[in-house]
Amino acid sequence: MAHLDSDTKEECLREDLKFYFMNPCEKYRARHQIPWKLGLQILKIVMVTTQLVRFGLSNQMVVAFKEENTVAFKHLFLKGYSGTDEDDYSYSVYTQEDAYESIFFAINQYHQLKNISLGTLGYGENEDNRTGLKVCKQHYKKGAMFPSNDTLNIDSDIEVDCVHLDLSKDPQDWKNLSFFRLEFYRLLEVEISFRLKGIDLQTIHSRELPDCYVFQNTITFDNKAHSGKIKIYFDSDAKIEECKDLNISGSIQKNTQYVLVFDAFVIVICLASLILCTRSIVLALRLRKRFLNFFLEKYKRRVCNTDQWEFINGWYVLVIISDLMTIIGSILKMEIKAKNLTNYDLCSILLGTSTLFVWVGVIRYLGYFQAYNVLILTMQASLPKVLRFCACAGMIYLGYTFCGWIVLGPYHDKFEDLNTVAECLFSLVNGDDMFATFAQIQQKSVLVWLFSRLYLYSFISLFIYMILSLFIALITDSYDTIKKYQQNGFPETDLQEFLKECSSKEKYQKESSAFLSCVCCLRRKGSDDHLTLVN
C-alpha cells in the first residue's frame, strides 16, 4: 500500500512538472487553461507603448521650451553672442573694456527685460526672497605683481564680495559703485546670478495644462587662468513649479481627465500582471521544494544547481520589475499631468526602462519557435564567457585610458579628461573618427607626437584585430555548440531524465513529447566551458 502511494505521488509530481514547463498553447490543450498572462502581456505592450509615446511627446515640448529659452537668454544677456558656443563656454573677451562692457550689458538688459524680451518672462525672487541681480566677485586677498621684473607678491587666500542690484535704481548709477573697480591681476571670477519666471503656453495647443518655470541663470566671467582671456559661461537651470492660479476655459480639462483615466487603466493592467507573475513564481518555488524532497528521498542525493534554477523563470522576474516600474512611473505621470509634481526626469527613466523590459519580454514567446530560440540560447550560453573576457579586456582598456589622459591630454582635445578619453577609445574600437584622432594631435612636442603614434597604432591593432576578433569568436563558438546540440540532441539532466520516465497510461503523454523537444536545460560540462542552456 505504501509502495502504491509512493508511485501515485511520483506520477502526480511528474505530471505537475510537465504541466509547469509547458508553453501557454500546450497548457491550453492539456487542461484548457486560458493563458491569462499571455493575453495581459500583449495588452500591456500596447498600453504601455501608447502611454510612453504620449508622455514622450509631452516631454519633448518641455525639453524644447527649456533649450529655446536658454538660447534666447544667451542672445539677451551676452554682448556680441554669435549664436554658437566657442567650446564648453559661450564666448570670451580679451580686453578690460570688453569685460566691463559685457558685465554692464547683462545688467542693463536685465533691467529692460520686459521691454525687449519676446517671451512670457517675468522677474523671480532669489533665495533671499529679493528681486534683482546678485553680483559676486572672487579675488586674491591682496597682492602686487610686476611681470617685467619677474616679481610676485600675493596672498593666496580668496575673498568673495557680493552686491545686490535691485530694480529701483538706474543701471547707470550701478557703474559708479566701487564694487565694479576690478583689479584684473587679482580677479579670479565674476558671477552674475538672477532668476526669471516663465509660462509654457505651447502645451495649450496639445490640450494640456501649461507649466510654470523658474529659470536660475548664472553668467560667469572666468579669469582663473590669468592668461589674458576671460571665458564667459552662461548656465540656465530650469525648474518646473506648480502654477498658483490657472483659469483656462475650453476642452483642456476634459482631455486631462481622459489621460488620467487611461493611466489608471495602465496601472490596473500592470497590477494584474504583477499578481499573476508573482503567483507563478510562488507556485514554482513550491513545486521545486516538492521535487527536491522527492529526489533526496528516492535517489539519496541532491539535485544539481542547474536543475534547481530551472524553476526560477527569469522572464517572470523581468515582468515583475517592469510592472513595478510602470506602476510607479504611471503614478508620477498622473501627478505631473495634474500639475502636482514636476519630476519629468525620474518619470522618464521609469517609463522608458519599463517599456524596454516589456519589449524584451516578447523574446520569451518567440523562443517557443526553434528558429528564434537559437538567438536566446546563444546569448545564454555565451554570456558567462563574454563577461569573463570583458573583465580581462577592461583592464587593458583602463590602462590605455589612464595613459592617454596623462600623456596626450595637454595636446589633444579628445584626451582632456577621463570620460572623454574613454569615449574616444570606444569610438576607435568601432572604427569611428580614426583620421581625426590622428590628425588633431598638436605637434608642439616631437616626443609626444611619436608617442601618440605608437599609442594609437598599438591600441587599434590590439583591440580591433585581436580582442574584438576573439570577442566575436566566443559568440560564434557558442552558436556552433547550440546548432550541434539541436542536430544531435541536448545533454540530459536529472530533471529531464525524471520527466522521461513515463508510463503508457500517462495522461499527458502527447503533450510531454512536444514539451521534451523544447526543454533545453544542460548539465554543466567541462568540455563546454560551463555552458548552461535554458529555454
Side-chain angles (χ1 to χ4, degrees):
M1 189 69 180
H3 179 70
L4 182 61
D5 291 340
S6 177
D7 291 342
T8 304
K9 181 180 179 181
E10 180 178 349
E11 290 301 322
C12 182
L13 176 61
R14 184 178 288 112
E15 289 180 4
D16 290 342
L17 287 171
K18 290 178 180 178
F19 185 77
Y20 171 75
F21 286 109
M22 289 179 183
N23 62 46
C25 296
E26 291 172 338
K27 289 181 179 180
Y28 179 77
R29 289 196 297 267
R31 297 182 183 178
H32 297 286
Q33 176 176 307
I34 299 176
W36 295 108
K37 290 193 293 292
L38 174 60
L40 272 177
Q41 297 309 312
I42 296 175
L43 178 61
K44 190 174 71 173
I45 289 174
V46 177
M47 299 291 292
V48 170
T49 305
T50 303
Q51 180 192 48
L52 182 74
V53 171
R54 290 186 57 87
F55 180 75
L57 294 175
S58 177
N59 196 23
Q60 186 176 350
M61 289 190 292
V62 173
V63 174
F65 184 76
K66 292 180 179 180
E67 291 180 349
E68 290 174 4
N69 272 276
T70 300
V71 174
F73 292 152
K74 289 182 178 180
H75 283 278
L76 281 173
F77 299 107
L78 301 182
K79 180 179 176 60
Y81 180 64
S82 63
T84 304
D85 291 350
E86 293 187 11
D87 195 358
D88 57 339
Y89 52 92
S90 298
Y91 76 110
S92 54
V93 294
Y94 299 90
T95 65
Q96 296 185 16
E97 181 182 359
D98 289 340
Y100 279 117
E101 287 182 357
S102 298
I103 293 173
F104 291 117
F105 177 82
I107 296 174
N108 187 60
Q109 291 290 95
Y110 177 82
H111 190 270
Q112 303 180 25
L113 180 65
K114 291 186 177 181
N115 298 326
I116 61 177
S117 174
L118 298 175
T120 56
L121 297 174
Y123 297 109
E125 297 178 346
N126 57 21
E127 59 273 6
D128 300 327
N129 296 324
R130 301 173 65 182
T131 301
L133 288 162
K134 182 179 180 182
V135 184
C136 295
K137 63 179 180 180
Q138 296 181 12
H139 52 83
Y140 293 119
K141 193 171 184 179
K142 62 180 180 179
M145 182 170 53
F146 304 97
S148 58
N149 297 331
D150 300 326
T151 303
L152 173 65
N153 181 16
I154 198 164
D155 188 342
S156 61
D157 292 336
I158 297 176
E159 289 184 338
V160 179
D161 299 327
C162 294
V163 63
H164 182 82
L165 308 178
D166 55 39
L167 297 171
S168 60
K169 293 183 179 180
D170 191 329
Q172 298 300 324
D173 297 336
W174 296 339
K175 294 183 179 181
N176 300 324
L177 295 177
S178 60
F179 177 86
F180 291 106
R181 298 193 186 110
L182 304 177
E183 296 176 337
F184 287 94
Y185 72 92
R186 292 197 301 139
L187 181 67
L188 294 173
E189 181 180 283
V190 175
E191 182 179 280
I192 303 174
S193 60
F194 55 93
R195 285 187 179 182
L196 298 175
K197 290 188 175 183
I199 301 177
D200 184 7
L201 297 179
Q202 64 177 335
T203 56
I204 295 179
H205 300 290
S206 302
R207 298 183 179 277
E208 296 183 10
L209 295 175
D211 292 319
C212 293
Y213 290 80
V214 175
F215 298 96
Q216 177 63 49
N217 300 317
T218 304
I219 305 174
T220 304
F221 296 78
D222 186 2
N223 191 41
K224 294 177 182 177
H226 289 91
S227 60
K229 173 181 178 180
I230 296 181
K231 300 177 182 178
I232 302 177
Y233 298 84
F234 185 93
D235 180 66
S236 181
D237 183 19
K239 294 183 179 180
I240 304 177
E241 291 187 348
E242 181 181 356
C243 296
K244 297 180 180 179
D245 187 14
L246 285 177
N247 186 11
I248 303 173
S249 59
S251 58
I252 293 180
Q253 293 290 346
K254 185 178 293 185
N255 181 72
T256 302
Q257 293 175 358
Y258 290 152
V259 175
L260 293 177
V261 170
F262 179 82
D263 292 334
F265 186 61
V266 171
I267 293 176
V268 173
I269 294 296
C270 292
L271 190 60
S273 172
L274 175 65
I275 293 173
L276 289 177
C277 291
T278 304
R279 173 180 171 272
S280 296
I281 290 180
V282 172
L283 294 177
L285 293 176
R286 292 178 180 176
L287 185 60
R288 183 180 73 166
K289 185 177 180 180
R290 286 175 55 194
F291 177 69
L292 294 180
N293 293 335
F294 171 81
F295 205 84
L296 184 62
E297 178 182 348
K298 182 174 180 179
Y299 298 103
K300 307 302 180 184
R301 60 188 177 91
R302 296 185 178 275
V303 179
C304 66
N305 292 331
T306 305
D307 282 342
Q308 294 188 36
W309 281 105
E310 282 289 302
F311 292 89
I312 306 300
N313 195 321
W315 297 112
Y316 288 159
V317 177
L318 185 68
V319 171
I320 290 174
I321 296 174
S322 172
D323 290 336
L324 288 174
M325 298 182 73
T326 303
I327 291 172
I328 299 174
S330 298
I331 294 174
L332 291 177
K333 181 177 179 294
M334 294 174 70
E335 292 295 317
I336 291 173
K337 191 69 178 178
K339 303 307 175 184
N340 297 325
L341 288 177
T342 58
N343 198 335
Y344 276 85
D345 294 336
L346 179 59
C347 185
S348 300
I349 292 173
L350 291 172
L351 292 181
T353 308
S354 65
T355 306
L356 169 65
F357 288 164
V358 167
W359 280 98
V360 170
V362 177
I363 299 178
R364 176 199 175 197
Y365 301 103
L366 295 177
Y368 294 132
F369 304 95
Q370 184 175 353
Y372 299 101
N373 199 30
V374 174
L375 171 62
I376 304 173
L377 296 179
T378 303
M379 291 174 61
Q380 292 175 342
S382 60
L383 183 61
K385 294 186 292 185
V386 167
L387 291 178
R388 290 193 295 269
F389 181 81
C390 289
C392 297
M395 300 300 103
I396 305 176
Y397 190 87
L398 285 175
Y400 270 93
T401 301
F402 286 112
C403 179
W405 172 55
I406 197 65
V407 178
L408 302 181
Y411 301 93
H412 202 298
D413 294 339
K414 294 183 179 181
F415 292 84
E416 288 183 347
D417 56 74
L418 282 173
N419 184 52
T420 307
V421 175
E423 294 172 353
C424 175
L425 295 182
F426 188 78
S427 65
L428 288 177
V429 172
N430 291 277
D432 298 332
D433 291 336
M434 282 194 180
F435 178 77
T437 305
F438 276 95
Q440 290 178 8
I441 186 70
Q442 299 178 14
Q443 300 185 19
K444 294 182 178 180
S445 171
V446 177
L447 180 61
V448 174
W449 185 86
L450 292 174
F451 179 84
S452 69
R453 266 44 194 170
L454 177 62
Y455 173 86
L456 292 174
Y457 279 123
S458 62
F459 176 82
I460 293 172
S461 301
L462 180 62
F463 272 83
I464 292 183
Y465 301 126
M466 183 179 295
I467 294 180
L468 191 59
S469 299
L470 289 174
F471 182 85
I472 297 173
L474 289 175
I475 301 176
T476 304
D477 179 67
S478 299
Y479 175 77
D480 293 337
T481 303
I482 297 300
K483 296 296 290 184
K484 181 183 68 174
Y485 284 154
Q486 285 186 335
Q487 295 174 359
N488 303 328
F490 289 89
E492 293 183 350
T493 63
D494 294 331
L495 177 60
Q496 289 178 303
E497 291 176 356
F498 175 75
L499 292 175
K500 269 194 170 182
E501 297 174 3
C502 301
S503 63
S504 59
K505 296 181 180 180
E506 190 169 0
K507 185 176 180 179
Y508 302 117
Q509 184 173 9
K510 182 177 180 180
E511 287 81 358
S512 66
S513 62
F515 157 75
L516 288 172
S517 63
C518 296
V519 176
C520 301
C521 173
L522 280 179
R523 185 190 302 275
R524 296 186 176 184
K525 292 188 174 183
S527 60
D528 295 323
D529 196 14
H530 304 288
L531 275 176
T532 302
L533 307 181
V534 182
N535 185 12

